[in-house]
Amino acid sequence: MDTVRLVEPGRLERFQSAEPGAPGPGEALVQVRSIGICGTDVHAFFGRQPFFDYPRILGHELGVEVIAVGEGVDGLSIGARCAVLPYLECGTCVPCRRGRPNCCANLRVLGVHIDGGMRERMLVPADKLFFHPDLGFDQLALVETLGIGAHAVARAGIEAGETVVVVGLGPIGLGALQAARARGAEVLAVDAAPTRLRFARDVFGVERTFEAGEDLEERLMDALDGDLPTAVLDATGHPASMDRAPSLCAPSGRVVFVGLHKGDVRFPDALFHRRELTLLASRNGTAAEFREVLAGMASGAIDTAPWITHETRLDRIAEDLPGFADPASGVLKAVLRIDA
Ligand SMILES: [Zn+2]
Ligand SMILES: [Zn+2]
C-alpha cells in the first residue's frame, strides 16, 4: 500500500509497504483519510526534533475510517469515522496510575516515537478511536491539535463568564482560544505579529486583540476597566512572553504555560505571591478533551471552517512539506488527504 516515510532529515520517501494484517484483540484496522501536518512533523523533517529516530512514518493528527475490528472491540462499527488519540501510555508509571496518562513517563506518540499515519491503512488500539458520525475526516484530523488547547483550558478550569487572555496565536493558541470560548469565556488575544492579530480578528472574530509589548499589563487593564484577566494561557514558547505572563493575570488567577522553551522561566516571586497565582504546565490532551472538542465541533461551538488552509497528497507531500514551514505561505493547518 502507498506509504510515505521520513528516511532521514530532509528526505521523505514514498514506497509500497506491507499491509498491516488483521486486527488482533482490542485493535482496529483503519483506513487513513486525513492527516494534519504540524510543527512536530516539520521539525522532524528539518532534523530539529530532539530524540527522533529515523526512518519514521510521520502523521499523528488523524481522521480515519474503521474497516475491521478485532476480538473484544465493542461499539465501533465498520465505516465509523474517528479521530485518533495518538498517545500510547504504559499504564503502570506514577502518572498513569494517577489517571494522568498524557504525562506518562514512557509515553509513545504515533508518528513520533512509533510509526504514524502517512499510509493507507494501519492498526490502532480501538480504545484510542473517538467516533463521531457528524464530522468529516478533516475535522477529525483537527481534534488532536485542538485537544492541546482544550487541555490547557481544562487545566485552568476555565468557566463561563470569565475573561481570559490567550498569548500566542499559532495553531495551539487559536485552539485554546476556541476551547475557552466554547466554555463561555470571553477571550482577549495577544501576539507579537500584527498579521496574526488581524487573522484572529478577521477569521476567528476576536474583538479585542493586543500587540505584545512592555506595557501590555496596562493596556489590558485599560480595556477591562482596571481589571486583569482571571486566566492567562501562554502558547508562545517565547521566554520573554512567559516571564511576563504572571503580570497579566488578576490576583487569584491561573497562568498556564502551553508553549515551552528550553531555558528557564523567571518572574518576580513578590508578584506571584501577592496575587496568589496558580501556575500550571499543560501538554497534550486526554480522552476527556478529545470528547469535549468533538462535541464542540458537532454543536458548532468550535468552528473548524477557518482551519484548513492547505492540502496535499501522499504523492506530493515530499515537495509540499518544506513550504508548509514557511510563514509566508500563510499556513494555519495543512492536511494530507488519502482517498479510500
Ligand atoms: Zn501535531
Ligand atoms: Zn505510564
Side-chain angles (χ1 to χ4, degrees), residues 38-41 60-61 144-145 148 333:
C38 97
T40 305
D41 305 312
H60 60 274
E61 306 180 358
E144 194 267 348
T145 299
I148 293 172
K333 180 60 70 180

Side-chain angles (χ1 to χ4, degrees), residues 137-162:
F137 293 114
D138 286 351
Q139 290 178 301
L140 293 164
L142 283 171
V143 173
E144 194 267 348
T145 299
L146 296 181
I148 293 172
H151 187 63
V153 166
R155 290 281 285 153
I158 303 288
E159 292 176 355
E162 266 193 73

Side-chain angles (χ1 to χ4, degrees), residues 146 148-150 152-153 158 164-190 196-197 199-201 203-209 233 235 258 301-302 307:
L146 296 181
I148 293 172
V153 166
I158 303 288
V164 173
V165 65
V166 172
V167 187
L169 302 175
I172 301 303
L174 288 168
L177 183 148
Q178 286 192 312
R181 278 171 157 183
R183 286 193 175 201
E186 206 214 317
V187 184
L188 283 58
V190 176
R196 283 183 161 188
L197 295 174
F199 187 75
R201 283 195 300 273
V203 180
F204 282 78
V206 181
E207 281 168 17
R208 292 192 272 189
T209 62
L233 309 179
V258 199
I302 294 175
W307 277 90

Side-chain angles (χ1 to χ4, degrees), residues 5 37 69 99 121 167 184 211 246 260 263 273 281 285 289 328:
R5 69 181 163 195
I37 311 293
V69 295
R121 286 167 288 282
V167 187
E211 200 169 325
L260 70 154
H273 261 86
E289 285 99 36

Side-chain angles (χ1 to χ4, degrees), residues 267-276:
F267 49 79
D269 181 54
L271 177 141
F272 184 65
H273 261 86
R274 194 170 57 244
R275 295 188 185 180
E276 199 173 275

Side-chain angles (χ1 to χ4, degrees), residues 19-33:
E19 287 289 340
E27 285 184 330
L29 176 65
V30 299
Q31 184 87 32
V32 181
R33 296 294 302 276

